[in-house]
Amino acid sequence: MRPNDPPQPLATLMVATCNVLNLANPGRMFYQNQDPYSAAEFERKLNWLGERLRMLNADVLAVQEVWDEAAFKGALGRSGLRYDFVAVPGAENDAERHGAQGTPRVGIATRLKVEALQSFPDFPPDLQVEVPGLGPHTRFERPPLVATLRMKHGQTLNVLTAHLKSKRPKFLQDAQGNPTEDRDDHKVMALASLRSLVMRGSEAMALRCLIIDLLHRTNIPLVVLGDFNDTPDSVTTQLICATNEIAYDRSARDVALFNAYDLQGEATLKKDVAYSHIHQGSPSVLDQILVSEEFMATGRNSVGDVRRVDYFNDHLHEGRDRTRSDHGFVRALLRLKMPPATPQSPP
């Protein structure tokens, strides 16, 4: 643009990520060691979550830990908001399908037009990592979900929802779920924690490969949201983002990701409130929103920016209650340049 040209108008897009903590239908067993929700608990959970979703008022809502798509739709109904598209692949509820089995799934709700939606359960064919005592790790525990969306002014973007392996120790067990090693042995505990790290690291690597496929030599912006079960400065998050390579290779921006929190405008409040989880009294950011270079305001290929990132985490101080969530919700206000108006032909 020339110095005297008017600024190009921007369209706004609100995106948010929510770990909803085992959102399942009442009376339905989701984990063997946890009681199903009673009807009263389920009502409280839907009402609480519906109120939080109403506050977020996001155009694109990425969710994790959904066991039943019907329960997620119920929570959206309690919010009073309208979403034209809702999907939690692998957690559908109908005559043949009865929600997620074994592990919860990720999903999306959006007001935007959905042009494509794909779940990725498997790692790339040539990628597998040996996990001590378990053998090759070749699949995501919670398959990431990629949606291609179109905004009302015509801009296209890809949105990826992810939920990586937790840090919870991965103990060996038999086919019936009974432990096959001494969980009170501190050395066994260390090995079980290593298994979780290897699994999360391999999932981060597989997710990185998927991100490269979405970004390489394209100008379609990408937003990655979810529960990474690790902090922004962790090895796994840095593996996913690959921003360190930019210092040595400018072309690496093409496939890099940036934390939206770091890109937001200078006038925003950044200190003290930026955490989404509390473990043993220590706050940390596990739920993150990452964006491609197209959202860098001064980037060579910029098509927008990050206006603001908000953390909704007051409920983390209200005590442990499974009808709420043990994660804070993170929301980002993004802006994209509107396509130039097409000149009308004279009559």
Side-chain angles (χ1 to χ4, degrees), residues 125-141:
D126 56 344
L127 175 62
Q128 63 178 27
V129 179
E130 289 290 327
V131 181
L134 290 177
H137 190 40
T138 62
R139 294 172 59 88
F140 291 96
E141 284 204 338

Side-chain angles (χ1 to χ4, degrees), residues 60-275:
V60 179
L61 186 65
V63 291
Q64 306 86 44
E65 290 201 21
V66 177
W67 289 92
D68 290 292
E69 185 180 86
F72 179 41
K73 291 180 177 178
L76 289 171
R78 301 293 172 93
S79 74
L81 303 174
R82 176 179 174 180
Y83 286 95
D84 298 319
F85 183 89
V86 181
V88 188
E92 299 90 347
N93 302 96
D94 53 34
E96 290 80 27
R97 297 172 293 185
H98 307 287
Q101 304 299 318
T103 187
R105 305 297 287 260
V106 306
I108 187 173
T110 182
R111 301 175 178 132
L112 276 58
K113 180 181 179 182
V114 179
E115 297 193 332
L117 185 75
Q118 186 173 358
S119 184
F120 292 84
D122 298 316
F123 292 176
D126 56 344
L127 175 62
Q128 63 178 27
V129 179
E130 289 290 327
V131 181
L134 290 177
H137 190 40
T138 62
R139 294 172 59 88
F140 291 96
E141 284 204 338
R142 276 87 54 141
L145 182 65
V146 176
T148 300
L149 309 177
R150 185 174 294 276
M151 297 176 64
K152 65 180 180 180
H153 296 293
Q155 305 98 323
T156 300
L157 73 154
N158 289 317
V159 173
L160 191 159
T161 305
H163 187 187
L164 298 188
K165 176 74 178 69
S166 73
K167 295 181 180 179
R168 187 177 298 112
K170 183 72 173 180
F171 292 103
L172 300 182
Q173 56 188 25
D174 60 22
Q176 288 71 43
N178 301 311
T180 59
E181 53 188 354
D182 184 3
R183 300 188 176 189
D184 294 325
D185 187 320
H186 295 297
K187 294 180 180 179
V188 170
M189 172 69 78
L191 180 57
S193 297
L194 174 63
R195 291 189 191 111
S196 289
L197 175 60
V198 173
M199 293 173 71
R200 189 170 62 261
S202 59
E203 289 186 353
M205 176 61 179
L207 191 65
R208 175 68 192 151
C209 292
L210 177 56
I211 289 166
I212 291 171
D213 290 340
L214 290 169
L215 289 178
H216 186 47
R217 294 182 179 176
T218 72
N219 58 0
I220 300 177
L222 173 64
V223 182
V224 179
L225 313 93
D227 177 3
F228 290 75
N229 269 309
D230 234 335
T231 57
D233 59 349
S234 67
V235 172
T236 53
T237 301
Q238 291 303 310
L239 190 160
I240 292 168
C241 294
T243 49
N244 292 334
E245 298 179 18
I246 294 173
Y248 311 100
D249 181 6
R250 296 279 299 179
S251 65
R253 285 178 180 266
D254 178 51
V255 291
L257 290 177
F258 305 86
N259 197 304
Y261 178 79
D262 297 329
L263 298 185
Q264 61 183 318
E266 295 179 0
T268 56
L269 178 65
K270 289 188 176 183
K271 301 298 183 184
D272 300 328
V273 297
Y275 59 90

Side-chain angles (χ1 to χ4, degrees), residues 286-317:
L286 303 183
D287 305 84
Q288 303 178 48
I289 299 178
L290 311 175
V291 296
S292 58
E293 68 164 339
E294 284 79 10
F295 288 102
M296 296 183 66
T298 59
R300 181 180 56 184
N301 297 312
S302 174
V303 298
D305 63 10
V306 179
R307 184 64 175 172
R308 188 178 73 247
V309 178
D310 301 308
Y311 292 79
F312 296 76
N313 51 23
D314 287 348
H315 62 273
L316 299 180
H317 302 280

Side-chain angles (χ1 to χ4, degrees), residues 14-35:
M14 195 80 81
V15 300
T17 179
C18 308
N19 182 319
V20 294
L21 184 60
N22 293 322
L23 181 57
N25 285 335
R28 175 260 225 271
M29 181 73 71
F30 46 92
Y31 283 131
Q32 293 298 321
N33 60 348
Q34 294 192 31
D35 294 330

